[in-house]
Amino acid sequence: MPYKDIELRRQRGRERYAKNREARKQATRDYYARNVDTLREKNRIRARESREKYKDKIQEYCLKNKDKMNARSRAYYYDHKEAYQQYYTEHRDELLAQRAQAKSERRNARVMCPAFKFIDEIRLKNIDLYTTKYRPNSNLAHRAKCPAIIAGDYSLCPICKDCSVSGKQMERLCSMPHVFEFENAVATIRERAADIVMANQK
C-alpha cells in the first residue's frame, strides 16, 4: 500500500541510501576493477562517436572564439600568478626534470613517430587548424605516452612495424588518436612511417 505522506517516503529513501552508500561505492569500485579493460574500450568508442558527431561544431566554436579563449587563459594566469610562482619555487627541481624529459620526448617524436610528424607539420603550417583539436603549446609527444617515443626506438611504433595497416587499426593502435580526425591523416601518416623506416635502415 503506497504511503500517503510523500515526504515520509523521501526521508526513508534518503535513510536507505545513506545506510548502503559505502557498500554501493565499494561494489562500484569492485565492478570497475573486474571490467576495467572492457569499460575503457567502451569509453573510447563513445568518445570517438561523440567527437565525430560534434567535431564540426567544436571546430567552428574554436575558430570563432579563439581570441576570447586566449584572453581568458591570460586573465586566469595573471589572477593566479603568485600561486604559480610559489609552486614553481617549491617544485623547481621536479619541474626542470619533467621539462628535460619532455624535451627528449619531443626530439624522439620528431624522428620516429609518424603521427607526431604529421600533426607537427599541421602546427607549423596551419595553426588555426591545429588549434581546433589541440592547444597551441601542447606537448603532444609527452601526452602520447607512446612506447617508441619514451624508449627512443622507432621499431616499437605499431605503424612503423606495418605501414600497410588500415586507418581504423592505426587509430586504435596509436597513442594520439585525435590526429586521425584531420583530412588525409591516414595516407600522410603511412608515408611518414615509410620514411622513418627507410631512414633507420640506411
Coordinates of all heavy atoms in Angstrom, one line a residue, residues 77 80-93 95:
Y77 N 45.8 33.3 -15.7 CA 47.2 33.2 -15.3 C 47.5 34.4 -14.4 O 48.1 34.3 -13.4 CB 48.1 33.2 -16.5 CG 49.6 33.3 -16.1 CD1 50.3 32.3 -15.6 CD2 50.2 34.6 -16.3 CE1 51.6 32.4 -15.2 CE2 51.6 34.7 -15.9 CZ 52.2 33.6 -15.3 OH 53.5 33.8 -15.0
H80 N 46.2 34.4 -10.9 CA 46.8 33.3 -10.1 C 48.4 33.3 -10.2 O 49.0 32.3 -9.9 CB 46.3 32.0 -10.4 CG 44.8 31.9 -10.3 ND1 43.9 32.3 -11.2 CD2 44.0 31.5 -9.2 CE1 42.7 32.1 -10.8 NE2 42.7 31.6 -9.6
K81 N 48.9 34.4 -10.6 CA 50.4 34.4 -10.9 C 51.2 34.1 -9.7 O 52.2 33.3 -9.7 CB 50.8 35.8 -11.4 CG 52.2 35.9 -12.0 CD 52.4 37.3 -12.6 CE 53.8 37.4 -13.2 NZ 54.0 38.7 -13.9
E82 N 50.9 34.7 -8.5 CA 51.6 34.4 -7.3 C 51.6 32.9 -6.9 O 52.6 32.4 -6.5 CB 51.1 35.3 -6.1 CG 51.4 36.8 -6.3 CD 50.9 37.6 -5.1 OE1 50.5 36.9 -4.1 OE2 50.9 38.8 -5.2
A83 N 50.5 32.3 -7.0 CA 50.4 30.9 -6.7 C 51.2 30.0 -7.7 O 51.9 29.1 -7.2 CB 48.9 30.4 -6.8
Y84 N 51.2 30.4 -8.9 CA 52.1 29.7 -9.9 C 53.6 29.9 -9.5 O 54.3 28.9 -9.6 CB 51.9 30.3 -11.3 CG 50.6 29.8 -12.0 CD1 49.7 30.7 -12.5 CD2 50.5 28.4 -12.3 CE1 48.5 30.2 -13.1 CE2 49.3 27.9 -12.9 CZ 48.4 28.8 -13.3 OH 47.3 28.4 -14.0
Q85 N 54.0 31.1 -9.2 CA 55.4 31.3 -8.9 C 55.8 30.6 -7.6 O 56.9 30.1 -7.5 CB 55.6 32.9 -8.7 CG 55.5 33.6 -10.0 CD 55.6 35.1 -9.8 OE1 55.3 35.6 -8.7 NE2 55.9 35.8 -10.8
Q86 N 54.9 30.5 -6.6 CA 55.2 29.8 -5.4 C 55.3 28.3 -5.7 O 56.3 27.7 -5.1 CB 54.1 30.0 -4.4 CG 54.3 29.3 -3.0 CD 53.2 29.6 -2.0 OE1 52.3 30.4 -2.2 NE2 53.2 28.8 -0.9
Y87 N 54.4 27.8 -6.5 CA 54.5 26.4 -6.8 C 55.8 26.1 -7.5 O 56.5 25.0 -7.2 CB 53.3 26.0 -7.7 CG 53.3 24.5 -8.0 CD1 52.7 23.6 -7.2 CD2 53.9 24.0 -9.2 CE1 52.7 22.2 -7.5 CE2 53.9 22.7 -9.5 CZ 53.3 21.8 -8.6 OH 53.3 20.4 -8.9
Y88 N 56.2 26.9 -8.5 CA 57.5 26.7 -9.2 C 58.7 26.7 -8.2 O 59.6 25.9 -8.4 CB 57.7 27.8 -10.3 CG 59.0 27.7 -11.0 CD1 59.1 26.7 -12.1 CD2 60.1 28.4 -10.7 CE1 60.3 26.6 -12.7 CE2 61.3 28.2 -11.4 CZ 61.4 27.3 -12.4 OH 62.6 27.2 -13.1
T89 N 58.7 27.7 -7.3 CA 59.8 27.7 -6.3 C 59.9 26.5 -5.5 O 61.0 26.0 -5.3 CB 59.6 29.0 -5.4 OG1 59.5 30.1 -6.2 CG2 60.7 29.1 -4.4
E90 N 58.7 26.0 -5.1 CA 58.7 24.8 -4.2 C 59.1 23.5 -5.0 O 59.6 22.5 -4.4 CB 57.4 24.6 -3.5 CG 57.1 25.7 -2.5 CD 55.6 25.7 -2.0 OE1 54.9 24.8 -2.5 OE2 55.3 26.5 -1.2
H91 N 58.8 23.4 -6.3 CA 59.0 22.2 -7.0 C 59.9 22.4 -8.2 O 59.8 21.7 -9.2 CB 57.6 21.7 -7.6 CG 56.6 21.4 -6.5 ND1 55.8 22.4 -5.9 CD2 56.3 20.3 -5.9 CE1 55.0 21.9 -5.0 NE2 55.3 20.6 -5.0
R92 N 60.9 23.3 -8.0 CA 61.8 23.7 -9.2 C 62.5 22.5 -9.8 O 62.5 22.3 -11.0 CB 62.8 24.7 -8.7 CG 63.6 25.3 -9.8 CD 64.5 26.4 -9.3 NE 65.3 27.0 -10.3 CZ 66.5 26.5 -10.7 NH1 67.0 25.5 -10.1 NH2 67.1 27.1 -11.7
D93 N 63.1 21.7 -8.9 CA 63.9 20.5 -9.4 C 63.1 19.5 -10.2 O 63.5 19.0 -11.2 CB 64.7 19.8 -8.3 CG 65.8 20.7 -7.7 OD1 66.2 21.7 -8.4 OD2 66.2 20.5 -6.5
L95 N 60.2 20.1 -11.6 CA 59.7 20.7 -12.9 C 60.8 20.7 -13.9 O 60.5 20.5 -15.1 CB 59.2 22.1 -12.6 CG 57.9 22.2 -11.8 CD1 57.6 23.6 -11.4 CD2 56.7 21.6 -12.6

